[in-house]
Amino acid sequence: MDHVSWILSVAQVLELPRHSSTAVALHYWHRVAVFLRNEREYPQQEGQKEGVKSALDEKLLACACLLLACKNCETNRRLRHVLNAAFWIEHSNSASPFLNTDDEMYWQLKDSLIAAELILVRILAFDTHVETPHAYIIHLLQMLSEPLSEHSLSSGCLLCRSAKPWTDLTCKDSASFFLANENYTRLAQASWMNANDVYLNPRTCLIVDVRVLAAACVVLAAQSAHPMQLISRHQICNAARVDDKDVEDAVCNMSKVFQEVHVQSV
């Protein structure tokens, strides 16, 4: 099992939301993987973070990604929850797949996970903020549900003229909107799934700007959502105020990545 699949499995046991904690954990892991790959290719690189070259178990680092993501997204999962879920995934076929807090192994693993989290923060250069495209997608669809007149598009970025700042926008704010706009439900679901799958590969989640990523998720979903065929890529890009070429490149990249993931899963 590769590390991405492993993180998804542990996150599923922990019942973490895909759009927040799980996405952030995968984002952290891809950044860690890039660092570890560069460390192997350029072991004498100047300014290399001291202490990270140790033979630290990568699964422990992946577990630390989940723990830090839960803290960053304020998801109520304690360290012992993350540790027990990870241990169960690793030893589900053994006679004793559960950790006992009375065992010395539990406390050793706990100390190791705390140390791994400290190393993770150093690898991330203390930059733990991750912006996901999900809230942008919801708001973009809300904007597209209104008539996109020439006046409305020329009066500024629809995403930037929201009544609420992005940091305050939640899924609950949009529940009534989607219940009242049945045609947008299918497009929203497909766009949301695209945004979840973006974090399966670093080529999509680490390189592309989050607003371009949100627009690309909607464009890709609109191509297969029959009720929404009247919404063109140009309309979506205008509403999001992002460059058509950037979105086109992102859509092509996402399509290739999703196809590779599909082939690997067959």
Side-chain angles (χ1 to χ4, degrees):
M1 184 185 299
D2 63 89
H3 291 89
V4 171
S5 300
W6 188 86
I7 289 175
L8 289 173
S9 298
V10 177
Q12 187 174 9
V13 173
L14 290 168
E15 298 183 347
L16 299 181
R18 278 292 300 269
H19 69 279
S20 58
S21 307
T22 305
V24 172
L26 289 173
H27 191 280
Y28 288 160
W29 171 251
H30 289 311
R31 290 168 63 184
V32 169
V34 170
F35 177 86
L36 294 177
R37 184 167 60 250
N38 290 338
E39 184 185 65
R40 287 191 292 267
E41 293 177 358
Y42 309 103
Q44 303 301 325
Q45 184 176 352
E46 185 178 355
Q48 191 175 45
K49 294 177 176 56
E50 184 181 354
V52 181
K53 292 192 292 182
S54 62
L56 182 67
D57 189 280
E58 292 186 0
K59 287 285 179 65
L60 201 57
L61 270 178
C63 193
C65 289
L66 283 162
L67 179 61
L68 186 60
C70 288
K71 294 178 180 179
N72 188 33
C73 299
E74 298 184 357
T75 306
N76 187 22
R77 301 293 185 277
R78 301 176 69 87
L79 186 148
R80 69 169 180 269
H81 298 151
V82 178
L83 193 58
N84 280 322
F87 189 84
W88 186 85
I89 291 296
E90 283 292 287
H91 303 87
S92 57
N93 295 326
S94 66
S96 179
F98 301 105
L99 278 173
N100 192 328
T101 55
D102 295 331
D103 294 341
E104 184 180 355
M105 179 186 294
Y106 170 82
W107 297 101
Q108 290 176 347
L109 289 174
K110 181 179 178 180
D111 291 341
S112 298
L113 181 55
I114 293 173
E117 186 183 20
L118 294 175
I119 293 177
L120 171 63
V121 172
R122 295 181 64 189
I123 291 176
L124 299 176
F126 297 91
D127 179 16
T128 60
H129 175 70
V130 176
E131 201 171 21
T132 64
H134 297 79
Y136 290 90
I137 288 172
I138 291 178
H139 203 188
L140 178 57
L141 291 175
Q142 287 177 322
M143 297 298 101
L144 289 169
S145 69
E146 303 172 358
L148 296 180
S149 63
E150 183 176 346
H151 171 73
S152 65
L153 290 178
S154 62
S155 58
C157 175
L158 292 176
L159 298 182
C160 298
R161 294 189 291 109
S162 62
K164 284 186 149 190
W166 281 110
T167 53
D168 296 336
L169 186 63
T170 65
C171 303
K172 293 181 181 178
D173 296 327
S174 304
S176 59
F177 161 74
F178 288 110
L179 288 175
N181 295 268
E182 184 177 353
N183 284 341
Y184 277 80
T185 302
R186 184 185 304 179
L187 182 62
Q189 290 173 340
S191 302
W192 195 270
M193 291 174 64
N194 289 338
N196 288 340
D197 291 343
V198 153
Y199 289 91
L200 298 177
N201 193 287
R203 283 184 289 164
T204 47
C205 70
L206 295 184
I207 300 174
V208 185
D209 178 79
V210 67
R211 289 177 182 256
V212 174
L213 205 55
C217 288
V218 176
V219 168
L220 200 59
Q223 293 176 354
S224 57
H226 299 295
M228 307 312 303
Q229 285 180 344
L230 294 178
I231 297 182
S232 65
R233 185 180 70 207
H234 183 68
Q235 285 177 300
I236 295 171
C237 293
N238 276 349
R241 275 294 187 266
V242 292
D243 186 73
D244 279 38
K245 184 64 169 60
D246 291 340
V247 174
E248 182 181 2
D249 292 343
V251 169
C252 292
N253 194 18
M254 288 167 58
S255 299
K256 292 178 182 178
V257 169
F258 294 168
Q259 182 64 28
E260 291 174 3
V261 172
H262 175 72
V263 170
Q264 291 173 1
S265 62
V266 173

